[in-house]
Amino acid sequence: MQLTELSAWQLGDLIRKKEIRALDAAEAVVAEIKTKNEKLNAFLSYDEAVIRSQAEGVQEKLDAGQVLSPLAGVPMAVKDNISTRLYPTTCASDMLQGYLPPYDATVIENLQQAGAVITGKTNMDEFAMGCSTETSFRGPALNPWNQGHTPGGSSGGSAAAVAAGLSWYALGSDTGGSIRQPSAYCNLTGLKPSYGLVSRYGLIAYASSLDQIGPMARSARDCAAVMDCITSQDSKDSTSSDHSTAFKASCYEATTGFNISLKGRKIALPEQALAQVDPAVRRAVSETAAVFKDLGADIVPFDLPYQDASVPVYYLIACAEASGNLARYDGVQYGRQPDNGHEMDLTAFYEHNRSAGFGKEVKRRLMLGTFVLSSGYYDAWYLKALKMRRMIIDSYNEMMRGIDAVLMPVTPSAAPPLYQHEDDPLARYISDTFTVDANLTGRPAIAFPCGINAGGLPVGAQLTGHLLADDILLGLVHAYQTQTSHHEKRPSSARKGEPA
Amino acid sequence: MTTYETIIGLEVHTELQTDSKIFCSCSTRFGQQPNTQCCPVCLGLPGALPVLNRQVAELALRLCLATDCSITPVTRFDRKNYFYPDLPKAYQISQLHEPIGRNGQLCLKDFPERVVRIHEIHMEEDAGKLTHDPWSDQSLVDYNRCGVPLLEIVSEPDLRSAEEALDYLATLRKLLMFLGVSDCRMEQGSLRADVNVSVRKTGTQALGTRTEMKNMNSFKAIGRAIIHESQRQIDLLNEGGMILQETRRWDENKEMSFAMRSKENAQDYRYFPDPDLPPVKLDKAWIDRVRQNMPERPEQKQSRYQHEWRLSAYEAEQLTDEPFLASLLEQTIACGANPADVSSWILGEWLQACRSGNCDASDLSVQPESLAKLLEMIRNNVITRTTARSVFTYMLDHQIDPESYVREHGLAMVNDLDDLKQMVASVLEASEQSVKDYLAGKEKAKTYLIGQVMRKSRGKANPAHVNKLVEELLEQHRQP
């Protein structure tokens, strides 16, 4: 039995039934990380000793008869923008090299209570700004399906780790598609939960009103099990939903006790979205609609509201918020200070530290955000974007009445080759066109595998649902995954023991 | 010669009297070791998030209601962005767009015709404290003050002189203290004021260009800065010069101000709504609750003291000068003491003790129960006022029950007429000259003799009895 080929809940089952020990799973994954990570660059940090001692700790609790969660003892990886006391948390930026948080994010506390074994921190675009991990200070992660291609981003390290068998599941964060797009590029199921369902306390902010932590795994059922571990109403996060506690446990139930018949469910398919994408993506998404139809769902037409506005509105708001959120990295507490800092005046000191500490893409977005908030431009840009966001939210509320979910592609194409649009930020930004609406509206959205293209790269589909109805999305995708095997496909490089 | 009118507006910052900070649960206590009252939130660590301390909104609501502000139904926080080493997030959470209160007013005490309009009241967090160490040429940051809740109270330019401005500040300070909003200790920085000053030719309407003055650490300094700045502007205009809109820094030692930055160099704070803090709904039920629990305001107390307890206007005003005196008065009366007795004791002995001990009224540790017992003993002729004074002095340094103390030390008043008669007789015998003087018509000699009797009784003799007996016995001397 190849442990690394099991799903997370299958592995959790074996550990709970004492057929294997938590340490066995830990050893298996340590061996895989050691063979493959150097090439894949999926982890920025991991520590064998820390992994083993966590596994032993969880095993002790299980042996003492404690009931933790279905995922107790299952090793998992965490995106490097989620604060952990076990590992440095750097956001893949030079600015935060060596920063070891003195506190754990709420999701980390929740996971540890659930018996998770945290293997390490995964690569990402610097401060989550990017869609390829190319902006990482430590270089990009590679796509396990084809190492000349990007795993996506910004949670690309998490995606590469799970796809390559270096982890059973991982946490990502999603501000404009950063969980869903890499999930699609690496043949994973990834959920951007409803805004407020998962605490953001300890998530290093990119854009506070859009950021949300969520699971990336090999199936909807795994994602559901993770959601039950991480969801909580958090008094430390004012934007945390008071539904979170009641919601807990409903996700896993949605996939375990799910009625496979989708009779009465309405899924909307926006034809105009299909017209804009690669033929392979169009075909795969259409076939997905057909599967839902076979399962008994009604497929109804839909028009994506204000589609041209979504990406600009998203970048205006995200960059504006980021310009505030990242202002604290000024070299006083973080980053490298110049040797002759004491000779500089304060402004020169800040300029030096921020110019040296941030990468190109981060600087681009901070400049943009600073500009749109500046006196004289606020009304014309930022305020207008806020109004537009309100209109998009209202339109979705109106148009999704009576509809359970909207089905569409995650991205216009499969994973592009690395550095394809390096000098063309607009081309990169526009590929977020199908993912940003979920963040702007706060709605949950799930990406899931729906085929492999001619080049051997995975293609993903996406369902967007109703606020706080994340369990419905997980149930729909679970139903789909009982009828299809796209999600079970693994890249050849994921085979155990083979160097990547 | 042209005469000018001075136009003044004030921006007052006051630290709220909450136990914990505005967005985290760290303590707000003043004077602790540097950087011992911090957490990821107030240190602005990556990933930490603010959560509003509801007590801050409640105290802010109190002040808004007390100054007749209209309450913003949905109030919001904004980020004010600027870089400075005492500001770890590089933005201050403040309120620009939807402050908690607007359009209020405050009446002055000594200028009853002057009603100062309040433009707005908003909540915000304080920054840390920078100390420059000239010996090592290093700047040190103490983040204990980071996140301490502040209210900023912005007046309209309705004040016309330094006296009016100081009256406004004193009235506001008293209100803040009585509402339990702030302890207003200027020396600890819990009350700070920036002053906007402009001048215009008497009789004209348009406002002149204003300057903003910062860095005044006392009421005195504020008064001096206003007088100085208005004169500077008048002199400048008389010389044909122009006022620049700028921020100036007051130097109290030199009694001069210096330009800090002009309007052209004003910072762009790029305010925007803080996405980490949802808007706060101030619904009617919440406002009503705050209104019901509103502490009595100083002027309400003052009139109640006069009507309910028959204190004089002067006494009532003195006793509402600071919350401690008012509460001492009320608590001591609640323990059964006579209002007039309490009032005269506080304004007399208590304040005298503070003056001689060079301390604040609240620094004396005598409890209201004990004070009430002491005053009742005087009223019931158990002890003389002289004895009470010395017992009180002893109580300042010792936790005692005054009744047992009087009993144990035999300090009770001597009322026995035979004993007293003997005492008076022996005094008269020993003071032949004074007796002669009295009989020769010197009234003063009698006072002296009474004093001698009191001294002999160590202050315990019933003064009324002594007075009577001395008179009686002296008269007996008159007829040999």
Side-chain angles (χ1 to χ4, degrees), chain A residues 102-103 200-204 208 235-238 324-325 327-329 333-334 350 370 373-375 378 382, chain B residues 40 44-51 79 81 83-85 88-91 97 268 270-273 275-276 278:
Chain A
Y103 75 102
R200 291 187 295 117
Y201 189 78
L203 169 67
I204 299 183
S208 314
S235 59
K236 293 196 289 253
D237 175 359
S238 316
N325 287 330
R328 73 195 66 192
Y329 310 111
Q333 292 185 75
Y334 314 99
Y350 287 143
T370 303
L373 290 176
S374 296
S375 149
Y378 181 91
Y382 180 71
Chain B
L45 291 191
L49 296 170
V51 175
R79 292 184 183 176
N81 296 285
F83 291 101
Y84 208 66
K89 297 190 299 295
Y91 60 80
H97 298 292
D268 180 358
R270 304 189 312 280
Y271 279 97
F272 74 102
D276 288 328

Short mmCIF file of all heavy atoms in Angstrom, two decimals, chain A residues 102-103 200-204 208 235-238 324-325 327-329 333-334 350 370 373-375 378 382, chain B residues 40 44-51 79 81 83-85 88-91 97 268 270-273 275-276 278:
data_model
loop_
_atom_site.label_atom_id
_atom_site.label_comp_id
_atom_site.label_asym_id
_atom_site.label_seq_id
_atom_site.Cartn_x
_atom_site.Cartn_y
_atom_site.Cartn_z
N PRO A 102 5.70 35.10 17.04
CA PRO A 102 5.56 34.68 18.43
C PRO A 102 4.16 34.16 18.74
O PRO A 102 3.84 33.93 19.90
CB PRO A 102 5.83 35.99 19.20
CG PRO A 102 5.38 37.06 18.28
CD PRO A 102 5.61 36.56 16.87
N TYR A 103 3.33 33.98 17.73
CA TYR A 103 1.97 33.47 17.99
C TYR A 103 1.52 32.65 16.78
O TYR A 103 2.06 32.79 15.69
CB TYR A 103 1.01 34.63 18.24
CG TYR A 103 0.62 35.41 17.00
CD1 TYR A 103 -0.62 35.21 16.39
CD2 TYR A 103 1.49 36.33 16.42
CE1 TYR A 103 -0.99 35.90 15.26
CE2 TYR A 103 1.13 37.03 15.29
CZ TYR A 103 -0.11 36.81 14.71
OH TYR A 103 -0.46 37.50 13.58
N ARG A 200 -9.23 34.93 9.89
CA ARG A 200 -8.02 35.47 9.23
C ARG A 200 -6.94 35.83 10.24
O ARG A 200 -5.87 36.30 9.86
CB ARG A 200 -8.37 36.73 8.44
CG ARG A 200 -9.24 36.50 7.22
CD ARG A 200 -9.38 37.78 6.41
NE ARG A 200 -10.09 38.81 7.14
CZ ARG A 200 -9.55 39.98 7.48
NH1 ARG A 200 -8.31 40.27 7.14
NH2 ARG A 200 -10.26 40.86 8.15
N TYR A 201 -7.23 35.64 11.54
CA TYR A 201 -6.24 36.05 12.55
C TYR A 201 -4.95 35.25 12.35
O TYR A 201 -4.96 34.02 12.44
CB TYR A 201 -6.78 35.84 13.96
CG TYR A 201 -5.88 36.45 15.02
CD1 TYR A 201 -5.90 37.82 15.25
CD2 TYR A 201 -5.00 35.67 15.74
CE1 TYR A 201 -5.06 38.40 16.20
CE2 TYR A 201 -4.16 36.24 16.70
CZ TYR A 201 -4.20 37.61 16.92
OH TYR A 201 -3.37 38.19 17.85
N GLY A 202 -3.87 35.93 12.06
CA GLY A 202 -2.59 35.26 11.82
C GLY A 202 -2.27 35.08 10.35
O GLY A 202 -1.16 34.71 10.00
N LEU A 203 -3.25 35.33 9.48
CA LEU A 203 -2.97 35.33 8.04
C LEU A 203 -2.36 36.69 7.70
O LEU A 203 -2.99 37.73 7.93
CB LEU A 203 -4.26 35.12 7.24
CG LEU A 203 -4.13 35.37 5.72
CD1 LEU A 203 -3.25 34.31 5.07
CD2 LEU A 203 -5.51 35.39 5.06
N ILE A 204 -1.15 36.69 7.18
CA ILE A 204 -0.51 37.97 6.87
C ILE A 204 -1.24 38.62 5.71
O ILE A 204 -1.31 38.06 4.61
CB ILE A 204 1.00 37.77 6.59
CG1 ILE A 204 1.65 37.18 7.84
CG2 ILE A 204 1.65 39.08 6.17
CD1 ILE A 204 3.14 37.00 7.76
N SER A 208 -7.33 42.77 3.01
CA SER A 208 -8.12 42.26 4.13
C SER A 208 -9.58 41.94 3.78
O SER A 208 -10.14 41.00 4.33
CB SER A 208 -8.11 43.30 5.25
OG SER A 208 -6.80 43.77 5.47
N SER A 235 -13.15 35.35 18.13
CA SER A 235 -13.31 36.68 18.75
C SER A 235 -12.13 37.58 18.43
O SER A 235 -12.17 38.78 18.70
CB SER A 235 -13.47 36.54 20.26
OG SER A 235 -12.34 35.89 20.79
N LYS A 236 -11.06 37.02 17.85
CA LYS A 236 -9.91 37.86 17.51
C LYS A 236 -10.00 38.42 16.10
O LYS A 236 -9.13 39.16 15.66
CB LYS A 236 -8.62 37.04 17.67
CG LYS A 236 -8.34 36.68 19.14
CD LYS A 236 -6.91 36.24 19.37
CE LYS A 236 -6.60 34.90 18.78
NZ LYS A 236 -6.45 33.81 19.72
N ASP A 237 -11.03 38.03 15.35
CA ASP A 237 -11.21 38.52 13.99
C ASP A 237 -12.60 39.13 13.89
O ASP A 237 -13.61 38.42 13.92
CB ASP A 237 -11.05 37.35 13.00
CG ASP A 237 -11.35 37.76 11.55
OD1 ASP A 237 -11.69 38.94 11.31
OD2 ASP A 237 -11.23 36.89 10.67
N SER A 238 -12.66 40.47 13.79
CA SER A 238 -13.97 41.15 13.78
C SER A 238 -14.79 40.81 12.54
O SER A 238 -15.99 41.06 12.51
CB SER A 238 -13.78 42.68 13.81
OG SER A 238 -12.81 43.05 14.73
N GLY A 324 -1.80 49.78 2.47
CA GLY A 324 -1.85 49.99 3.92
C GLY A 324 -1.28 48.80 4.68
O GLY A 324 -0.47 48.94 5.59
N ASN A 325 -1.70 47.60 4.27
CA ASN A 325 -1.29 46.39 5.00
C ASN A 325 0.22 46.18 4.99
O ASN A 325 0.79 45.65 5.94
CB ASN A 325 -1.97 45.16 4.41
CG ASN A 325 -3.44 45.09 4.77
OD1 ASN A 325 -3.85 45.58 5.83
ND2 ASN A 325 -4.25 44.50 3.91
N ALA A 327 2.50 48.53 4.65
CA ALA A 327 3.26 49.73 5.02
C ALA A 327 4.15 49.46 6.23
O ALA A 327 5.19 50.08 6.40
CB ALA A 327 2.32 50.89 5.30
N ARG A 328 3.74 48.50 7.07
CA ARG A 328 4.50 48.23 8.30
C ARG A 328 5.89 47.67 8.00
O ARG A 328 6.75 47.68 8.87
CB ARG A 328 3.72 47.29 9.20
CG ARG A 328 3.67 45.86 8.74
CD ARG A 328 2.60 45.09 9.47
NE ARG A 328 1.26 45.59 9.15
CZ ARG A 328 0.15 45.28 9.79
NH1 ARG A 328 0.22 44.47 10.82
NH2 ARG A 328 -1.01 45.76 9.42
N TYR A 329 6.10 47.16 6.80
CA TYR A 329 7.42 46.62 6.48
C TYR A 329 8.29 47.77 6.00
O TYR A 329 8.40 48.06 4.82
CB TYR A 329 7.30 45.51 5.42
CG TYR A 329 6.25 44.51 5.81
CD1 TYR A 329 5.07 44.40 5.11
CD2 TYR A 329 6.44 43.69 6.93
CE1 TYR A 329 4.08 43.51 5.49
CE2 TYR A 329 5.46 42.79 7.33
CZ TYR A 329 4.28 42.71 6.61
OH TYR A 329 3.30 41.84 7.00
N GLN A 333 11.21 47.36 12.02
CA GLN A 333 11.09 46.05 12.69
C GLN A 333 11.44 44.89 11.76
O GLN A 333 11.83 43.83 12.22
CB GLN A 333 9.67 45.85 13.21
CG GLN A 333 9.32 46.77 14.35
CD GLN A 333 7.94 46.44 14.90
OE1 GLN A 333 7.75 45.46 15.60
NE2 GLN A 333 6.97 47.26 14.57
N TYR A 334 11.23 45.05 10.46
CA TYR A 334 11.43 43.96 9.52
C TYR A 334 12.38 44.40 8.41
O TYR A 334 12.48 45.57 8.11
CB TYR A 334 10.10 43.53 8.88
CG TYR A 334 9.00 43.39 9.88
CD1 TYR A 334 8.07 44.40 10.06
CD2 TYR A 334 8.91 42.25 10.68
CE1 TYR A 334 7.07 44.28 11.01
CE2 TYR A 334 7.91 42.12 11.63
CZ TYR A 334 6.99 43.16 11.79
OH TYR A 334 6.01 43.04 12.72
N TYR A 350 13.57 54.80 5.08
CA TYR A 350 12.40 54.03 4.66
C TYR A 350 12.50 53.68 3.18
O TYR A 350 12.22 52.55 2.78
CB TYR A 350 11.11 54.84 4.88
CG TYR A 350 10.68 54.97 6.33
CD1 TYR A 350 10.12 56.16 6.80
CD2 TYR A 350 10.79 53.90 7.21
CE1 TYR A 350 9.70 56.28 8.11
CE2 TYR A 350 10.37 54.01 8.53
CZ TYR A 350 9.83 55.21 8.98
OH TYR A 350 9.40 55.33 10.26
N THR A 370 -1.18 52.98 -3.55
CA THR A 370 -0.91 54.29 -2.95
C THR A 370 -1.51 55.39 -3.83
O THR A 370 -2.13 56.33 -3.35
CB THR A 370 0.62 54.49 -2.81
OG1 THR A 370 1.13 53.41 -2.03
CG2 THR A 370 0.94 55.81 -2.13
N LEU A 373 -5.38 55.84 -3.61
CA LEU A 373 -5.88 56.39 -2.35
C LEU A 373 -5.45 57.83 -2.15
O LEU A 373 -5.84 58.48 -1.17
CB LEU A 373 -5.37 55.55 -1.17
CG LEU A 373 -5.93 54.15 -1.01
CD1 LEU A 373 -5.25 53.44 0.15
CD2 LEU A 373 -7.44 54.19 -0.77
N SER A 374 -4.63 58.34 -3.07
CA SER A 374 -4.06 59.68 -2.86
C SER A 374 -5.13 60.75 -3.02
O SER A 374 -6.09 60.57 -3.77
CB SER A 374 -2.93 59.93 -3.85
OG SER A 374 -1.90 59.02 -3.61
N SER A 375 -4.89 61.82 -2.32
CA SER A 375 -5.81 62.96 -2.37
C SER A 375 -5.96 63.40 -3.82
O SER A 375 -4.97 63.58 -4.54
CB SER A 375 -5.23 64.05 -1.48
OG SER A 375 -5.57 65.30 -1.96
N TYR A 378 -8.72 59.57 -4.96
CA TYR A 378 -9.53 58.65 -4.15
C TYR A 378 -10.92 58.48 -4.75
O TYR A 378 -11.37 57.36 -5.00
CB TYR A 378 -9.61 59.21 -2.73
CG TYR A 378 -10.39 58.38 -1.75
CD1 TYR A 378 -9.74 57.40 -0.98
CD2 TYR A 378 -11.75 58.58 -1.55
CE1 TYR A 378 -10.45 56.65 -0.06
CE2 TYR A 378 -12.46 57.83 -0.63
CZ TYR A 378 -11.81 56.86 0.11
OH TYR A 378 -12.52 56.12 1.02
N TYR A 382 -10.58 54.77 -6.15
CA TYR A 382 -10.90 53.84 -5.06
C TYR A 382 -12.40 53.84 -4.75
O TYR A 382 -13.04 52.79 -4.68
CB TYR A 382 -10.09 54.19 -3.81
CG TYR A 382 -10.38 53.27 -2.67
CD1 TYR A 382 -9.95 51.94 -2.70
CD2 TYR A 382 -11.11 53.69 -1.56
CE1 TYR A 382 -10.23 51.06 -1.67
CE2 TYR A 382 -11.40 52.83 -0.52
CZ TYR A 382 -10.95 51.52 -0.57
OH TYR A 382 -11.24 50.66 0.44
N PRO B 40 0.60 40.92 19.90
CA PRO B 40 0.71 41.02 18.44
C PRO B 40 -0.17 42.12 17.84
O PRO B 40 0.23 42.75 16.86
CB PRO B 40 0.26 39.63 17.97
CG PRO B 40 0.62 38.71 19.10
CD PRO B 40 0.40 39.52 20.35
N GLY B 44 1.32 45.57 16.02
CA GLY B 44 1.12 45.54 14.57
C GLY B 44 1.85 44.40 13.91
O GLY B 44 2.32 44.52 12.78
N LEU B 45 1.96 43.25 14.60
CA LEU B 45 2.65 42.11 13.98
C LEU B 45 1.87 41.66 12.75
O LEU B 45 0.64 41.78 12.71
CB LEU B 45 2.77 40.95 14.97
CG LEU B 45 3.70 41.14 16.15
CD1 LEU B 45 3.91 39.81 16.88
CD2 LEU B 45 5.06 41.67 15.71
N PRO B 46 2.58 41.14 11.74
CA PRO B 46 1.89 40.66 10.54
C PRO B 46 0.81 39.65 10.93
O PRO B 46 1.06 38.76 11.73
CB PRO B 46 3.01 39.97 9.76
CG PRO B 46 4.28 40.59 10.25
CD PRO B 46 4.03 40.96 11.67
N GLY B 47 -0.38 39.83 10.38
CA GLY B 47 -1.46 38.86 10.60
C GLY B 47 -2.36 39.17 11.78
O GLY B 47 -3.42 38.59 11.90
N ALA B 48 -1.94 40.07 12.67
CA ALA B 48 -2.78 40.36 13.83
C ALA B 48 -3.92 41.29 13.41
O ALA B 48 -3.77 42.07 12.47
CB ALA B 48 -1.96 41.02 14.92
N LEU B 49 -5.06 41.19 14.07
CA LEU B 49 -6.24 41.95 13.68
C LEU B 49 -6.83 42.70 14.86
O LEU B 49 -6.81 42.21 15.98
CB LEU B 49 -7.32 40.99 13.13
CG LEU B 49 -6.97 40.23 11.86
CD1 LEU B 49 -8.03 39.17 11.58
CD2 LEU B 49 -6.88 41.18 10.68
N PRO B 50 -7.39 43.89 14.60
CA PRO B 50 -8.00 44.68 15.68
C PRO B 50 -9.44 44.24 15.96
O PRO B 50 -10.16 43.86 15.05
CB PRO B 50 -8.01 46.08 15.09
CG PRO B 50 -8.17 45.87 13.61
CD PRO B 50 -7.46 44.57 13.29
N VAL B 51 -9.82 44.28 17.24
CA VAL B 51 -11.21 44.05 17.62
C VAL B 51 -11.60 45.19 18.56
O VAL B 51 -10.91 45.44 19.55
CB VAL B 51 -11.40 42.69 18.34
CG1 VAL B 51 -12.83 42.53 18.83
CG2 VAL B 51 -11.01 41.54 17.41
N ARG B 79 -8.31 54.11 8.16
CA ARG B 79 -6.87 54.06 8.38
C ARG B 79 -6.25 55.38 7.93
O ARG B 79 -6.52 55.86 6.83
CB ARG B 79 -6.24 52.92 7.56
CG ARG B 79 -6.65 51.55 8.02
CD ARG B 79 -5.90 50.51 7.20
NE ARG B 79 -6.29 49.15 7.54
CZ ARG B 79 -5.82 48.08 6.89
NH1 ARG B 79 -4.97 48.23 5.88
NH2 ARG B 79 -6.21 46.88 7.25
N ASN B 81 -2.76 56.78 7.03
CA ASN B 81 -1.46 56.20 6.68
C ASN B 81 -0.32 57.20 6.78
O ASN B 81 -0.37 58.27 6.16
CB ASN B 81 -1.51 55.69 5.23
CG ASN B 81 -2.51 54.56 5.04
OD1 ASN B 81 -2.27 53.43 5.45
ND2 ASN B 81 -3.64 54.88 4.43
N PHE B 83 4.22 57.11 7.82
CA PHE B 83 5.36 56.37 8.37
C PHE B 83 5.95 57.12 9.55
O PHE B 83 6.25 58.30 9.45
CB PHE B 83 6.46 56.21 7.31
CG PHE B 83 6.08 55.29 6.20
CD1 PHE B 83 5.66 55.77 4.97
CD2 PHE B 83 6.16 53.92 6.37
CE1 PHE B 83 5.32 54.92 3.93
CE2 PHE B 83 5.82 53.04 5.35
CZ PHE B 83 5.40 53.55 4.12
N TYR B 84 6.09 56.45 10.67
CA TYR B 84 6.85 57.00 11.78
C TYR B 84 7.22 55.86 12.72
O TYR B 84 6.43 54.93 12.88
CB TYR B 84 6.05 58.10 12.52
CG TYR B 84 6.96 59.10 13.17
CD1 TYR B 84 7.76 59.93 12.39
CD2 TYR B 84 7.07 59.20 14.55
CE1 TYR B 84 8.64 60.82 12.96
CE2 TYR B 84 7.95 60.09 15.14
CZ TYR B 84 8.74 60.90 14.33
OH TYR B 84 9.61 61.77 14.91
N PRO B 85 8.40 55.90 13.33
CA PRO B 85 8.82 54.72 14.10
C PRO B 85 7.95 54.41 15.32
O PRO B 85 8.03 53.31 15.84
CB PRO B 85 10.25 55.08 14.54
CG PRO B 85 10.71 56.11 13.57
CD PRO B 85 9.48 56.87 13.19
N PRO B 88 3.70 51.28 14.70
CA PRO B 88 4.21 50.03 14.14
C PRO B 88 3.48 49.52 12.90
O PRO B 88 4.08 48.83 12.08
CB PRO B 88 4.08 49.03 15.29
CG PRO B 88 3.18 49.65 16.28
CD PRO B 88 3.26 51.13 16.09
N LYS B 89 2.21 49.85 12.72
CA LYS B 89 1.50 49.39 11.52
C LYS B 89 1.73 50.34 10.34
O LYS B 89 1.35 50.05 9.23
CB LYS B 89 -0.01 49.32 11.76
CG LYS B 89 -0.43 48.31 12.83
CD LYS B 89 -1.95 48.10 12.85
CE LYS B 89 -2.74 49.33 13.16
NZ LYS B 89 -2.53 49.86 14.53
N ALA B 90 2.32 51.50 10.62
CA ALA B 90 2.46 52.57 9.65
C ALA B 90 1.10 53.13 9.23
O ALA B 90 0.97 53.77 8.20
CB ALA B 90 3.30 52.17 8.42
N TYR B 91 0.07 52.82 10.00
CA TYR B 91 -1.19 53.55 9.89
C TYR B 91 -1.83 53.60 11.27
O TYR B 91 -1.63 52.70 12.08
CB TYR B 91 -2.15 52.97 8.84
CG TYR B 91 -2.60 51.54 9.06
CD1 TYR B 91 -3.61 51.23 9.96
CD2 TYR B 91 -2.02 50.50 8.34
CE1 TYR B 91 -4.03 49.92 10.13
CE2 TYR B 91 -2.43 49.19 8.52
CZ TYR B 91 -3.44 48.90 9.41
OH TYR B 91 -3.85 47.61 9.58
N HIS B 97 -14.39 59.56 7.98
CA HIS B 97 -15.64 59.71 7.22
C HIS B 97 -16.89 59.68 8.10
O HIS B 97 -17.82 60.45 7.88
CB HIS B 97 -15.73 58.62 6.15
CG HIS B 97 -14.62 58.70 5.15
ND1 HIS B 97 -14.51 59.74 4.26
CD2 HIS B 97 -13.57 57.89 4.90
CE1 HIS B 97 -13.45 59.56 3.50
NE2 HIS B 97 -12.85 58.44 3.88
N ASP B 268 -0.24 63.67 2.90
CA ASP B 268 -1.46 63.08 2.38
C ASP B 268 -1.63 61.75 3.12
O ASP B 268 -0.88 60.81 2.90
CB ASP B 268 -1.30 62.86 0.87
CG ASP B 268 -2.53 62.23 0.26
OD1 ASP B 268 -3.50 61.94 1.01
OD2 ASP B 268 -2.54 62.02 -0.97
N ARG B 270 -3.98 59.60 2.98
CA ARG B 270 -4.64 58.53 2.22
C ARG B 270 -5.60 57.72 3.09
O ARG B 270 -5.54 56.50 3.14
CB ARG B 270 -3.59 57.61 1.56
CG ARG B 270 -2.61 58.35 0.67
CD ARG B 270 -1.74 57.43 -0.13
NE ARG B 270 -1.15 56.36 0.65
CZ ARG B 270 -0.07 56.50 1.42
NH1 ARG B 270 0.56 57.66 1.50
NH2 ARG B 270 0.41 55.48 2.10
N TYR B 271 -6.48 58.44 3.78
CA TYR B 271 -7.47 57.75 4.61
C TYR B 271 -8.31 56.79 3.76
O TYR B 271 -8.69 57.14 2.64
CB TYR B 271 -8.45 58.78 5.18
CG TYR B 271 -7.98 59.55 6.39
CD1 TYR B 271 -7.42 60.80 6.26
CD2 TYR B 271 -8.17 59.03 7.67
CE1 TYR B 271 -7.03 61.53 7.37
CE2 TYR B 271 -7.79 59.75 8.79
CZ TYR B 271 -7.22 60.99 8.63
OH TYR B 271 -6.86 61.72 9.73
N PHE B 272 -8.60 55.62 4.28
CA PHE B 272 -9.64 54.78 3.67
C PHE B 272 -10.23 53.88 4.74
O PHE B 272 -9.60 53.63 5.77
CB PHE B 272 -9.10 54.00 2.46
CG PHE B 272 -8.18 52.84 2.79
CD1 PHE B 272 -8.66 51.52 2.75
CD2 PHE B 272 -6.85 53.05 3.13
CE1 PHE B 272 -7.81 50.45 3.04
CE2 PHE B 272 -6.00 51.98 3.43
CZ PHE B 272 -6.48 50.68 3.38
N PRO B 273 -11.46 53.40 4.51
CA PRO B 273 -12.15 52.61 5.55
C PRO B 273 -11.33 51.38 5.92
O PRO B 273 -10.85 50.66 5.03
CB PRO B 273 -13.46 52.20 4.87
CG PRO B 273 -13.63 53.12 3.72
CD PRO B 273 -12.28 53.57 3.30
N PRO B 275 -10.67 47.83 6.45
CA PRO B 275 -11.44 46.63 6.12
C PRO B 275 -11.43 45.58 7.24
O PRO B 275 -12.21 44.63 7.19
CB PRO B 275 -10.74 46.08 4.87
CG PRO B 275 -9.38 46.68 4.88
CD PRO B 275 -9.45 47.97 5.64
N ASP B 276 -10.57 45.76 8.23
CA ASP B 276 -10.53 44.79 9.33
C ASP B 276 -11.61 45.05 10.37
O ASP B 276 -11.85 44.20 11.23
CB ASP B 276 -9.16 44.83 10.04
CG ASP B 276 -8.07 44.22 9.18
OD1 ASP B 276 -8.39 43.28 8.41
OD2 ASP B 276 -6.91 44.66 9.27
N PRO B 278 -15.53 46.02 10.95
CA PRO B 278 -16.86 46.27 10.39
C PRO B 278 -17.44 47.54 11.01
O PRO B 278 -17.08 47.90 12.13
CB PRO B 278 -17.68 45.05 10.82
CG PRO B 278 -16.71 44.06 11.39
CD PRO B 278 -15.48 44.81 11.77
#
